[in-house]
Amino acid sequence: MVINGMPMKRMKRRVTADLYDFLTFPSSASGSSVATPFRANVRSFLTKHALMPPPSSLFPHLLTWQILFRVGDATDGSDSSSAMVCVDVVEEDVARSRFVYCDQCRVVGWSGHPVCSKRYHFIIKADGNSIGGYQKPCVRCGDILHLSELRCKSCGHMTTTDDVEDWVYHQLEDTTHLLHGVIHSNGYGHLLRVNGRERGSRVLSGCHIMDFWDRLCKTLAVRKVSVMDVSKKYGLEYRLLHAITKGRPWYGDWGYEFGAGSFGLTFDAYKSSVETLSSLPLSIFPPQGLKPSTRLQDVISFYQSLSKCELVNIKDLFCFLMRLIHDAHKSSSRVGDATCKKPRTSAGVLSWSRVDVGRVEEAMFRVLRAVSGSNWVSYRALRGAVCRVAPPALLDHCLTELGGKLAAEGMVVNARHNPDSGALEYRLEPQNVSVSTNCDDSCVANSPPSEEVLKRDLKFLFESMLNPQTMLSYTPDLTRNLAISSAEKLLDCKQFVKDYKYEKLSSRNGVVVCLSCQLELADQSKELAPDPPAELVVLPVNATVSDLKIEASKAFQEVYLAFRRFQADELLGYGGVEDSTQAKLLVGLTESVRVRGRCLGKNGLSKYRVERGIERWTVDCICGAKDDDGERMLACDVCGVWQHTRCSGINDSDAVPAKFVCYRCRVTADDYCWTV
């Protein structure tokens, strides 16, 4: 059997052997020594590394390429398929797509770009399967069908081409993918989602996926990538939490910076909000005279006593707590790794499952609950009380990790060293009681709370000190209002962009000429058709001005739908130069040039001229926003100008009114009435 001219047996061998390593692919050495544009790099990349499925699996305007990876050396085990990752690359022909315009370009500030001819979707599905391939689900009952089967054997439904196309577009909109990034043929792209272990990934962490994506973008010479940061960690808004602890979003670890803020927010407003909120002193939450301390004060005091360094402000507190959670997770992971192994004894090494550990801990909790009052139970006594429950080595392990564990009914295990004997002791205390730091109740530095308790405290502190909707009241009011305003601004800054700033153009020792070509349309209003981003053109070193015009025309024809019949007529600033003149004599080997030309005939400029679409609309909100930023808006029924509902006094939870008149039109109407 032959598919796409390749024997089936050969394809199968490629899938199961000699796979690329996801953790290192693509390597920096795989890039070209000469600057080449994304449009050329992506073609050569797919040809070299990817396999195309049979033509019947998808449509010509939705071709899917596949690349299989191993993850490190994990494939050495017996179940190697669990450590394999399939990356799908869906090549979307925009002219025949259901969705011509890009919503992400519109909200990040690229709405003036012309519509590109191709979009390349890079996808890793959560279930480990491929969008392409030889099987598709029945749209009625969900049973898996081979491509050659038109009728489902279970329900009898006849699969149509529309059914398959609907399924493919559903894959492009699925929010459960571990990775989904899309790059336009002009090299501008969007990272739509990254889902690591918290969202169902069995092998790859979020950092693994981001590292892969970043290496891929560098190899393909991507120009800019945007991301809308709506990430969550432990159920909390991570862009706010990470901004407080690191001064930037999580994506900032890979070079993503402030791109565009909603509601007219600027980079200066973002930085100011980060500094204001993270530097708030913890001293503004002191006990109020003789009044009993609150849970917030108790929790803050607890972690201040636990830290070897002084915790002065909100940033210090949350950084310390995140570090404790990270350390606790690493510790529990070492125990959790044993869940996939059977308990065994070999050379004195023992492994236990979470069930074993939980059973011993519960027995210890019962002993501690039986102790009356505030009495402490020594290590020796507690170990003796549960000696029949588990082997000695497991008992010692559980006693070492017992401090900070969460028991039932809101109680937590506190541990200390006896001030006289130095022996380790335990007792149960309410979780909201802070650990005293005097000589009698000293906190055990190497026994912080369990990961479960730490996450619960993190959520409580986040809701009490950072979340503007639930932030607790404290004095002075001016400080609290400033904290709420800063938190709201950080939550309203979602759009971040990485500019890959492609390295200085290389002419490879004078073998080629690399030119950045900017385009100017003759007899066209820039309001109707703004100039597109420059395109890189690579020419032989002896290329002439005529060759330059031809290659520049081809570049813009290939990248943009509106310029499929574009023809470059002249080089601006070089009037009167003969077409036979060598280009390098005019502009050097690595310079930029501006070409002017026209689109021959009527080639759909009106439909494909910009990503914002053919509708003419104006945004002019009182917050300062002049373009769509992705937030909810409504148009004035008098002037037709769009504004944010929130800025117009309409809550996000409220329905949009049937009739709306903006503030400016109301003022104008009132002035007219007074004049009359």
Side-chain angles (χ1 to χ4, degrees), residues 50 65 142 148 184 253 257 267 276 279 423 462 466 506 508 528 642 648:
W65 306 73
S148 60
H184 300 278
D253 293 347
E257 300 176 344
F267 172 73
T276 297
S279 62
F462 182 91
L466 296 182
S506 169
R508 195 168 58 181
L528 294 177
W642 289 81
S648 302

Side-chain angles (χ1 to χ4, degrees), residues 19-23 25-26 45-46 49-53 63-71 84-90 120-126 128-132 178-181 204 208-209 212-213 215-216 220:
L19 300 179
Y20 301 109
D21 184 356
F22 185 88
L23 303 182
F25 179 90
F45 175 85
L46 293 175
H49 299 293
L51 294 173
M52 183 184 288
L63 293 177
T64 299
W65 306 73
Q66 301 169 11
I67 311 176
L68 274 176
F69 296 92
R70 71 178 193 277
V71 181
M84 291 171 59
V85 174
C86 178
V87 176
D88 289 317
V89 185
V90 180
Y120 295 89
H121 299 261
F122 295 83
I123 295 173
I124 302 176
K125 293 188 65 179
N129 294 322
S130 171
I131 294 176
L178 303 186
L179 169 68
H180 186 181
L204 301 175
H208 289 151
I209 298 171
F212 170 81
W213 171 254
R215 292 192 303 270
L216 181 67
L220 296 179

Side-chain angles (χ1 to χ4, degrees), residues 60-98:
H61 59 286
L62 289 170
L63 293 177
T64 299
W65 306 73
Q66 301 169 11
I67 311 176
L68 274 176
F69 296 92
R70 71 178 193 277
V71 181
D73 296 326
T75 56
D76 294 339
S78 58
D79 185 13
S80 61
S81 62
S82 63
M84 291 171 59
V85 174
C86 178
V87 176
D88 289 317
V89 185
V90 180
E91 181 180 347
E92 182 182 10
D93 186 347
V94 178
R96 293 186 285 176
S97 173
R98 292 181 179 180

Side-chain angles (χ1 to χ4, degrees), residues 285-429:
F285 307 99
Q288 302 296 320
L290 299 177
K291 295 181 180 179
S293 60
T294 64
R295 182 188 175 191
L296 176 60
Q297 294 159 356
D298 287 338
V299 173
I300 293 175
S301 299
F302 172 74
Y303 288 104
Q304 284 178 323
S305 67
L306 199 62
S307 174
K308 296 179 180 179
C309 301
E310 185 180 8
L311 304 183
V312 177
N313 52 40
I314 285 182
K315 178 180 179 179
D316 295 340
L317 176 62
F318 281 93
C319 284
F320 179 62
L321 196 50
M322 292 294 287
R323 187 162 60 251
L324 289 179
I325 293 175
H326 178 265
D327 293 342
H329 180 73
K330 287 177 62 178
S331 176
S332 64
S333 295
R334 287 194 291 268
V335 177
D337 289 341
T339 59
C340 60
K341 306 174 183 177
K342 295 182 179 180
R344 56 185 175 85
T345 303
S346 177
V349 178
L350 297 174
S351 297
W352 310 287
S353 69
R354 289 187 185 274
V355 175
D356 296 330
V357 174
R359 177 169 49 83
V360 176
E361 288 178 349
E362 184 56 39
M364 293 178 178
F365 293 157
R366 288 198 296 269
V367 174
L368 294 177
R369 279 195 291 266
V371 177
S372 60
S374 59
N375 295 325
W376 293 88
V377 180
S378 69
Y379 182 101
R380 181 185 295 271
L382 186 55
R383 189 178 188 277
V386 296
C387 64
R388 297 181 181 275
V389 176
L394 179 54
L395 295 178
D396 291 336
H397 168 78
C398 292
L399 284 166
T400 302
E401 303 291 333
L402 192 61
K405 291 290 185 179
L406 184 64
E409 300 175 355
M411 304 296 283
V412 66
V413 178
N414 191 12
R416 73 166 189 176
H417 288 291
N418 186 283
D420 297 324
S421 65
L424 197 57
E425 299 177 326
Y426 308 90
R427 74 179 180 190
L428 289 177
E429 295 180 354

Side-chain angles (χ1 to χ4, degrees), residues 119 149 528 532:
R119 298 191 195 111
E149 295 179 292
L528 294 177

